[in-house]
Amino acid sequence: MASPTVSAPKREKDPKKRVVITGMGLVSVFGNDVDNFYSKLLEGESGISLIDRFDASSFSVRFAGQIRNFSSDGYIVGKNDRRLDDCWRYCIVAGKRALEDANLGSMVLDTMDKTRIGVLVGTGMGGISVFSNGVEALVQKGYKKITPFFIPYSITNMGSALLAIDTGLMGPNYSISTACATANYCFYAAANHIRRGEADIMVVGGTEAAVMPTGVGGFIACRALSQRNEDPKRASRPWDKDRDGFVMGEGAGVLIMESLEHALKRGANIIAEYLGGAVTCDAHHMTDPRSDGLGVSSCISKSLEDASVSPEEVNYINAHATSTLAGDLAEVNAIKKVFKDTSEIKMNGTKSMIGHGLGAAGGLEAIATIKAITTGWLHPTINQDNIEPDVTIDTVPNVKKQHEVNVAISNSFGFGGHNSVVVFAPYTP
């Protein structure tokens, strides 16, 4: 809680400019249900397993947070479903489930001004399976064998576009692609559309489906992945001395962000409040973080400023924590720069259980952050056997903890040095 000696900044009061969360939807390694997803996280269950979607036996990394038994029944029509890249299938299902959760089904939407409702679902890689198949067709059979869907289903803006085409939403519509920071960049941009009065509602998040040969092979070539093939469930181990790289994941996480005024007017169920966010760049290296953490610490500070929150008010951090040697410690150093006293702060790593969802990571982790706020329980960071001595913040090791969240931040950082932080809190009228 805020220390009595520190006066907290005054938060936004204008209901037109306050942004609340009224719905959540996801596709994850634990299925498509938000409550089930969070209960698996609270149990400390690992969703990491050996890849069986393609023959990975010759790959040096043979495991991931691969989604199995995914069904789009009731959300995507048969013919389209067969043609779509999984990236777009995940996006459409998560987006429509979020709309349902916000009580914005098609009949309700038909009564609204759809030019005031936008879609902003980003992705790091886009339709990478469709792209790979197109290249393969070109090389093996010539250009005439490339499907007409090759370009439309490869480009990164198509998730937002398809969701809008299906729902008739005509407001701001585009995608952002900032690697693993994508979803947070989308939340930040979408909230600003609402604050500026350009939209009442934004359907916003991230989607990714890169657990396929080109995706896995590409990240192996970057030397970014854990090689713990003999024990996949214990491979993702943020802040642990024995970590050896991240574990690939996939899925989609989508929030319905809405102006408080609009949410109250329609009697929406308000789940939590988005207070603010920020984006910065390390301007340092394509894949390595700055060791001084300056890009990250300035991003955290700017997000708190945007949210009108003092560092002392924050008591929960959903960390980026990918389980890489440099990244995990750089993030902790940056956190310590901003939060001088971390004794009241709890920090956990969702990726320890679901792997790194790349462009979808921030979306799935925002949902985990909001569930922490609404349930009063923090999921554990699993595989915490031998924590780095520099990590003096409580990482909720191996077992869930009860914790009343005052203000939470969720961090996402991406290749290219893209940093993003978003700030959530319980909704108080």
Side-chain angles (χ1 to χ4, degrees), residues 15-229:
K16 284 186 172 70
K17 291 183 178 174
R18 282 179 72 180
V19 178
V20 292
I21 309 305
T22 55
M24 305 191 286
L26 54 70
V27 169
S28 80
V29 72
F30 296 133
N32 305 349
D33 180 79
V34 167
D35 291 339
N36 186 57
F37 168 74
Y38 200 61
S39 74
K40 295 277 192 195
L41 292 179
L42 288 178
E43 286 160 20
E45 188 172 318
S46 172
I48 310 304
S49 60
L50 292 172
I51 295 167
D52 60 11
R53 182 176 292 158
F54 63 92
D55 180 7
S57 58
S58 63
F59 284 57
S60 60
V61 175
R62 299 183 284 280
F63 59 94
Q66 177 192 311
I67 290 173
R68 290 180 170 76
N69 309 317
F70 169 74
S71 167
S72 59
D73 281 359
Y75 296 103
I76 307 174
V77 215
K79 192 160 58 168
N80 288 344
D81 199 31
R82 288 191 297 276
R83 291 175 177 152
L84 282 173
D85 192 283
D86 278 348
C87 191
W88 312 137
R89 295 170 80 218
Y90 297 167
C91 167
I92 292 167
V93 171
K96 287 186 176 178
R97 288 184 70 92
L99 285 164
E100 282 175 4
D101 188 47
N103 193 24
L104 292 169
S106 56
M107 286 171 72
V108 177
L109 286 175
D110 286 343
T111 67
M112 292 183 168
D113 179 356
K114 292 184 183 179
T115 65
R116 306 265 319 149
I117 308 175
V119 185
L120 176 40
V121 182
T123 170
M125 317 277 278
I128 190 172
S129 289
V130 166
F131 185 83
S132 297
N133 294 341
V135 171
E136 202 174 309
L138 171 70
V139 171
Q140 291 181 359
K141 300 171 183 170
Y143 80 94
K144 288 183 179 175
K145 290 298 179 189
I146 296 176
T147 166
F149 297 101
F150 172 57
I151 298 292
Y153 285 170
S154 295
I155 53 182
T156 56
N157 60 298
M158 203 44 69
S160 294
L162 292 169
L163 201 43
I165 290 164
D166 267 12
T167 53
L169 304 179
M170 296 172 67
N173 188 297
Y174 55 103
S175 67
I176 293 173
S177 188
T178 46
C180 311
T182 292
N184 272 6
Y185 269 70
C186 293
F187 295 138
Y188 175 67
N192 288 339
H193 283 298
I194 294 170
R195 285 171 166 183
R196 289 194 301 264
E198 297 159 0
D200 297 321
I201 298 174
M202 292 292 293
V203 183
V204 50
T207 184
E208 205 77 85
V211 180
M212 38 76 71
T214 317
V216 177
F219 280 109
I220 290 172
C222 286
R223 299 189 180 140
L225 300 182
S226 165
Q227 303 206 353
R228 200 181 276 255
N229 292 297

Side-chain angles (χ1 to χ4, degrees), residues 132-425:
S132 297
N133 294 341
V135 171
E136 202 174 309
L138 171 70
V139 171
Q140 291 181 359
K141 300 171 183 170
Y143 80 94
K144 288 183 179 175
K145 290 298 179 189
I146 296 176
T147 166
F149 297 101
F150 172 57
I151 298 292
Y153 285 170
S154 295
I155 53 182
T156 56
N157 60 298
M158 203 44 69
S160 294
L162 292 169
L163 201 43
I165 290 164
D166 267 12
T167 53
L169 304 179
M170 296 172 67
N173 188 297
Y174 55 103
S175 67
I176 293 173
S177 188
T178 46
C180 311
T182 292
N184 272 6
Y185 269 70
C186 293
F187 295 138
Y188 175 67
N192 288 339
H193 283 298
I194 294 170
R195 285 171 166 183
R196 289 194 301 264
E198 297 159 0
D200 297 321
I201 298 174
M202 292 292 293
V203 183
V204 50
T207 184
E208 205 77 85
V211 180
M212 38 76 71
T214 317
V216 177
F219 280 109
I220 290 172
C222 286
R223 299 189 180 140
L225 300 182
S226 165
Q227 303 206 353
R228 200 181 276 255
N229 292 297
E230 69 294 338
D231 198 2
K233 291 189 185 308
R234 297 178 56 73
S236 187
R237 42 198 319 114
W239 307 301
D240 188 272
K241 279 184 179 174
D242 299 317
R243 68 194 183 283
D244 69 327
F246 76 80
V247 176
M248 282 183 73
E250 59 177 351
V254 175
L255 301 180
I256 305 300
M257 300 178 90
E258 188 165 356
S259 80
L260 175 59
E261 181 183 61
H262 193 272
L264 292 172
K265 204 178 280 181
R266 72 177 185 93
N269 173 42
I270 296 171
I271 303 167
E273 183 164 5
Y274 167 93
L275 295 181
V279 297
T280 64
C281 182
D282 274 357
H284 168 67
H285 187 270
M286 279 199 306
T287 58
D288 289 344
R290 288 178 70 117
S291 56
D292 63 4
L294 181 61
V296 172
S297 60
S298 67
C299 194
I300 296 172
S301 297
K302 284 170 191 269
S303 76
L304 298 182
E305 197 180 317
D306 185 54
S308 299
V309 162
S310 68
E312 293 77 14
E313 291 177 273
V314 176
N315 67 347
Y316 170 49
I317 299 170
N318 186 293
H320 184 57
T322 58
S323 187
T324 57
L325 287 167
D328 287 9
L329 290 181
E331 181 177 12
V332 168
N333 292 338
I335 287 168
K336 286 178 171 176
K337 258 192 186 146
V338 178
F339 303 100
K340 303 298 182 224
D341 175 11
T342 57
S343 60
E344 297 297 314
I345 293 178
K346 307 258 185 275
M347 160 179 90
N348 58 7
T350 308
K351 293 179 183 75
S352 64
M353 289 173 275
I354 63 171
H356 192 347
L358 311 173
L364 293 163
E365 288 158 22
I367 290 173
T369 304
I370 292 164
K371 288 298 283 181
I373 290 170
T374 58
T375 63
W377 283 93
L378 304 185
H379 72 67
T381 308
I382 66 167
N383 302 322
Q384 302 284 274
D385 301 330
N386 194 4
I387 297 177
E388 290 275 7
D390 284 353
V391 182
T392 50
I393 306 166
D394 182 350
T395 65
V396 196
N398 304 319
V399 181
K400 67 181 179 183
K401 280 188 181 168
Q402 211 160 357
H403 185 64
E404 190 180 336
V405 178
N406 184 38
V407 175
I409 66 171
S410 177
N411 296 341
S412 286
F413 318 125
F415 279 4
H418 304 290
N419 305 310
S420 62
V421 180
V422 287
V423 186
F424 296 104

